[in-house]
Amino acid sequence: MIKFFLMVNKQGQTRLSRYYEHVEINKRTMLEAEVIKNCLSRSKDECSFIEYKDFKLVYRQYAALFIVVGIDQTENEMAVYELIHNFVEVLDKYFSRVVSETLN
């Protein structure tokens, strides 16, 4: 099950967040800061799956945008990884040139 969905720029600023379980606002801020730090500090050669606390993080980078999804331990990481790509393709088609230089 998906716990949250984040879109973050390279500076670490959250551009979009959606939580599918209730999380208090102060805990959201701390969670986002830790998740962003973990994902942005990794090199492109490292795996896009991270075990974090009681869930997993799956992320992809498109140009200056990181998309991070928090999932529970039973979820399929590769399926979520492809879901992220599908989401970005839909955004690119709808808004045109969202991140087109990285999709080609």
Side-chain angles (χ1 to χ4, degrees):
M1 182 172 134
I2 295 176
K3 294 182 178 246
F4 60 85
F5 185 93
L6 301 174
M7 291 178 73
V8 180
N9 66 13
K10 275 190 174 180
Q11 289 76 35
Q13 299 167 320
T14 302
R15 294 298 178 200
L16 174 100
S17 66
R18 174 71 176 150
Y19 289 83
Y20 298 98
E21 294 179 346
H22 176 72
V23 180
E24 294 177 17
I25 194 72
N26 58 347
K27 289 185 181 180
R28 283 186 187 189
T29 306
M30 290 180 5
L31 174 70
E32 287 178 22
E34 291 176 18
V35 165
I36 291 166
K37 184 183 77 167
N38 281 332
C39 293
L40 269 62
S41 66
R42 294 172 67 90
S43 72
K44 290 186 179 188
D45 297 332
E46 293 182 89
C47 181
S48 294
F49 312 140
I50 303 171
E51 294 213 13
Y52 177 77
K53 295 190 178 181
D54 61 338
F55 53 90
K56 298 177 191 173
L57 302 173
V58 179
Y59 71 94
R60 283 187 93 151
Q61 180 181 1
Y62 293 93
L65 186 68
F66 283 81
I67 299 176
V68 184
V69 180
I71 58 175
D72 62 18
Q73 296 290 343
T74 61
E75 193 68 48
N76 184 334
E77 298 96 342
M78 285 303 293
V80 174
Y81 190 74
E82 288 302 315
L83 173 74
I84 294 170
H85 187 70
N86 190 14
F87 175 72
V88 171
E89 284 183 336
V90 169
L91 286 178
D92 192 57
K93 293 279 188 208
Y94 188 76
F95 293 109
S96 74
R97 299 181 57 150
V98 171
V99 288
S100 59
E101 64 273 359
T102 59
L103 289 176
N104 296 330

Short mmCIF file of all heavy atoms in Angstrom, two decimals, residues 2-8 14-23 28 31-32 68-70 87:
data_model
loop_
_atom_site.label_atom_id
_atom_site.label_comp_id
_atom_site.label_asym_id
_atom_site.label_seq_id
_atom_site.Cartn_x
_atom_site.Cartn_y
_atom_site.Cartn_z
N ILE A 2 0.48 2.24 -0.76
CA ILE A 2 1.21 3.50 -0.82
C ILE A 2 0.87 4.32 0.42
O ILE A 2 -0.29 4.51 0.75
CB ILE A 2 0.86 4.26 -2.11
CG1 ILE A 2 1.34 3.48 -3.33
CG2 ILE A 2 1.48 5.66 -2.08
CD1 ILE A 2 0.97 4.11 -4.65
N LYS A 3 1.91 4.81 1.09
CA LYS A 3 1.72 5.63 2.29
C LYS A 3 1.75 7.12 1.97
O LYS A 3 1.00 7.89 2.53
CB LYS A 3 2.78 5.30 3.33
CG LYS A 3 2.67 3.89 3.87
CD LYS A 3 3.73 3.64 4.92
CE LYS A 3 3.57 2.25 5.47
NZ LYS A 3 3.18 2.24 6.85
N PHE A 4 2.66 7.51 1.05
CA PHE A 4 2.73 8.91 0.64
C PHE A 4 3.41 9.05 -0.71
O PHE A 4 4.06 8.13 -1.18
CB PHE A 4 3.44 9.79 1.69
CG PHE A 4 4.86 9.38 1.95
CD1 PHE A 4 5.90 9.83 1.17
CD2 PHE A 4 5.15 8.56 3.03
CE1 PHE A 4 7.21 9.46 1.42
CE2 PHE A 4 6.45 8.18 3.31
CZ PHE A 4 7.48 8.63 2.49
N PHE A 5 3.22 10.21 -1.31
CA PHE A 5 3.75 10.53 -2.62
C PHE A 5 4.32 11.94 -2.53
O PHE A 5 3.63 12.87 -2.12
CB PHE A 5 2.61 10.48 -3.64
CG PHE A 5 3.03 10.68 -5.06
CD1 PHE A 5 3.32 9.59 -5.85
CD2 PHE A 5 3.12 11.95 -5.61
CE1 PHE A 5 3.69 9.77 -7.17
CE2 PHE A 5 3.49 12.13 -6.92
CZ PHE A 5 3.78 11.04 -7.70
N LEU A 6 5.59 12.11 -2.90
CA LEU A 6 6.24 13.42 -2.83
C LEU A 6 6.87 13.78 -4.17
O LEU A 6 7.44 12.91 -4.84
CB LEU A 6 7.35 13.44 -1.78
CG LEU A 6 7.02 13.14 -0.34
CD1 LEU A 6 8.31 13.06 0.48
CD2 LEU A 6 6.11 14.20 0.22
N MET A 7 6.79 15.04 -4.54
CA MET A 7 7.56 15.59 -5.65
C MET A 7 8.44 16.67 -5.05
O MET A 7 7.94 17.58 -4.39
CB MET A 7 6.65 16.16 -6.73
CG MET A 7 5.87 15.10 -7.45
SD MET A 7 4.74 15.77 -8.69
CE MET A 7 5.87 16.27 -9.95
N VAL A 8 9.75 16.55 -5.28
CA VAL A 8 10.73 17.41 -4.62
C VAL A 8 11.72 17.91 -5.67
O VAL A 8 12.12 17.16 -6.56
CB VAL A 8 11.49 16.62 -3.54
CG1 VAL A 8 12.50 17.47 -2.83
CG2 VAL A 8 10.53 15.98 -2.56
N THR A 14 9.77 20.67 -1.18
CA THR A 14 8.63 19.85 -1.56
C THR A 14 7.72 20.66 -2.46
O THR A 14 7.29 21.76 -2.11
CB THR A 14 7.86 19.38 -0.31
OG1 THR A 14 8.75 18.66 0.53
CG2 THR A 14 6.70 18.49 -0.70
N ARG A 15 7.42 20.12 -3.63
CA ARG A 15 6.54 20.78 -4.58
C ARG A 15 5.13 20.20 -4.54
O ARG A 15 4.17 20.88 -4.85
CB ARG A 15 7.11 20.67 -5.99
CG ARG A 15 8.39 21.41 -6.16
CD ARG A 15 8.12 22.86 -5.90
NE ARG A 15 9.32 23.67 -5.99
CZ ARG A 15 9.42 24.85 -5.45
NH1 ARG A 15 8.43 25.34 -4.76
NH2 ARG A 15 10.51 25.54 -5.57
N LEU A 16 5.01 18.94 -4.16
CA LEU A 16 3.71 18.30 -4.04
C LEU A 16 3.84 17.19 -3.02
O LEU A 16 4.83 16.47 -3.00
CB LEU A 16 3.27 17.71 -5.39
CG LEU A 16 1.99 16.89 -5.33
CD1 LEU A 16 0.83 17.73 -5.81
CD2 LEU A 16 2.12 15.66 -6.20
N SER A 17 2.86 17.07 -2.15
CA SER A 17 2.85 15.96 -1.21
C SER A 17 1.42 15.47 -1.06
O SER A 17 0.48 16.26 -1.02
CB SER A 17 3.41 16.37 0.16
OG SER A 17 2.59 17.31 0.78
N ARG A 18 1.30 14.16 -1.00
CA ARG A 18 -0.01 13.53 -0.81
C ARG A 18 0.18 12.36 0.14
O ARG A 18 1.00 11.47 -0.12
CB ARG A 18 -0.57 13.07 -2.15
CG ARG A 18 -1.83 12.29 -2.08
CD ARG A 18 -2.99 13.17 -1.71
NE ARG A 18 -4.21 12.35 -1.75
CZ ARG A 18 -5.24 12.57 -1.00
NH1 ARG A 18 -5.26 13.58 -0.18
NH2 ARG A 18 -6.28 11.79 -1.07
N TYR A 19 -0.56 12.37 1.24
CA TYR A 19 -0.47 11.30 2.23
C TYR A 19 -1.74 10.48 2.20
O TYR A 19 -2.83 11.03 2.14
CB TYR A 19 -0.26 11.90 3.63
CG TYR A 19 1.13 12.48 3.79
CD1 TYR A 19 1.42 13.76 3.33
CD2 TYR A 19 2.14 11.74 4.37
CE1 TYR A 19 2.69 14.28 3.47
CE2 TYR A 19 3.41 12.26 4.51
CZ TYR A 19 3.68 13.53 4.05
OH TYR A 19 4.94 14.05 4.17
N TYR A 20 -1.60 9.17 2.26
CA TYR A 20 -2.74 8.27 2.21
C TYR A 20 -3.05 7.67 3.57
O TYR A 20 -3.95 6.85 3.69
CB TYR A 20 -2.50 7.17 1.16
CG TYR A 20 -2.35 7.78 -0.21
CD1 TYR A 20 -1.10 8.02 -0.75
CD2 TYR A 20 -3.47 8.17 -0.93
CE1 TYR A 20 -0.96 8.61 -2.00
CE2 TYR A 20 -3.34 8.76 -2.18
CZ TYR A 20 -2.09 8.97 -2.70
OH TYR A 20 -1.95 9.57 -3.93
N GLU A 21 -2.30 8.09 4.58
CA GLU A 21 -2.57 7.76 5.98
C GLU A 21 -2.42 9.07 6.74
O GLU A 21 -1.61 9.93 6.37
CB GLU A 21 -1.55 6.75 6.51
CG GLU A 21 -1.64 5.39 5.88
CD GLU A 21 -0.59 4.43 6.43
OE1 GLU A 21 0.36 4.87 7.11
OE2 GLU A 21 -0.73 3.24 6.17
N HIS A 22 -3.17 9.22 7.82
CA HIS A 22 -3.08 10.46 8.59
C HIS A 22 -1.72 10.58 9.27
O HIS A 22 -1.26 9.67 9.95
CB HIS A 22 -4.18 10.51 9.65
CG HIS A 22 -4.09 11.71 10.51
ND1 HIS A 22 -4.39 12.98 10.06
CD2 HIS A 22 -3.68 11.86 11.80
CE1 HIS A 22 -4.18 13.84 11.03
NE2 HIS A 22 -3.76 13.18 12.11
N VAL A 23 -1.08 11.71 9.02
CA VAL A 23 0.18 12.05 9.67
C VAL A 23 0.07 13.51 10.11
O VAL A 23 -0.29 14.37 9.31
CB VAL A 23 1.39 11.89 8.70
CG1 VAL A 23 2.68 12.25 9.39
CG2 VAL A 23 1.45 10.48 8.14
N ARG A 28 4.92 15.34 9.50
CA ARG A 28 5.10 15.38 8.04
C ARG A 28 6.36 16.16 7.68
O ARG A 28 7.14 15.73 6.83
CB ARG A 28 3.91 16.05 7.35
CG ARG A 28 2.71 15.22 7.23
CD ARG A 28 1.67 15.94 6.42
NE ARG A 28 0.41 15.21 6.44
CZ ARG A 28 -0.63 15.51 5.69
NH1 ARG A 28 -0.58 16.54 4.86
NH2 ARG A 28 -1.72 14.79 5.76
N LEU A 31 9.37 14.08 8.59
CA LEU A 31 9.46 12.93 7.69
C LEU A 31 9.96 13.36 6.32
O LEU A 31 10.87 12.74 5.77
CB LEU A 31 8.08 12.26 7.57
CG LEU A 31 7.98 11.13 6.56
CD1 LEU A 31 8.76 9.91 7.03
CD2 LEU A 31 6.54 10.76 6.31
N GLU A 32 9.39 14.42 5.78
CA GLU A 32 9.81 14.90 4.46
C GLU A 32 11.27 15.31 4.45
O GLU A 32 12.00 15.00 3.51
CB GLU A 32 8.92 16.05 4.00
CG GLU A 32 7.53 15.61 3.59
CD GLU A 32 6.62 16.75 3.19
OE1 GLU A 32 7.13 17.83 2.81
OE2 GLU A 32 5.40 16.57 3.26
N VAL A 68 9.22 10.70 -5.02
CA VAL A 68 9.45 9.72 -3.96
C VAL A 68 8.11 9.16 -3.51
O VAL A 68 7.18 9.91 -3.25
CB VAL A 68 10.16 10.36 -2.75
CG1 VAL A 68 10.48 9.31 -1.70
CG2 VAL A 68 11.41 11.10 -3.17
N VAL A 69 8.04 7.82 -3.43
CA VAL A 69 6.83 7.17 -2.96
C VAL A 69 7.20 6.30 -1.76
O VAL A 69 8.14 5.50 -1.83
CB VAL A 69 6.19 6.30 -4.07
CG1 VAL A 69 4.94 5.62 -3.56
CG2 VAL A 69 5.88 7.14 -5.30
N GLY A 70 6.48 6.46 -0.67
CA GLY A 70 6.65 5.63 0.51
C GLY A 70 5.64 4.49 0.47
O GLY A 70 4.45 4.74 0.27
N PHE A 87 3.32 7.94 -14.33
CA PHE A 87 2.79 9.21 -13.86
C PHE A 87 3.49 10.38 -14.55
O PHE A 87 2.85 11.34 -15.00
CB PHE A 87 2.96 9.30 -12.34
CG PHE A 87 2.56 10.61 -11.74
CD1 PHE A 87 1.22 10.97 -11.66
CD2 PHE A 87 3.52 11.49 -11.27
CE1 PHE A 87 0.84 12.19 -11.11
CE2 PHE A 87 3.15 12.70 -10.72
CZ PHE A 87 1.81 13.05 -10.65
#
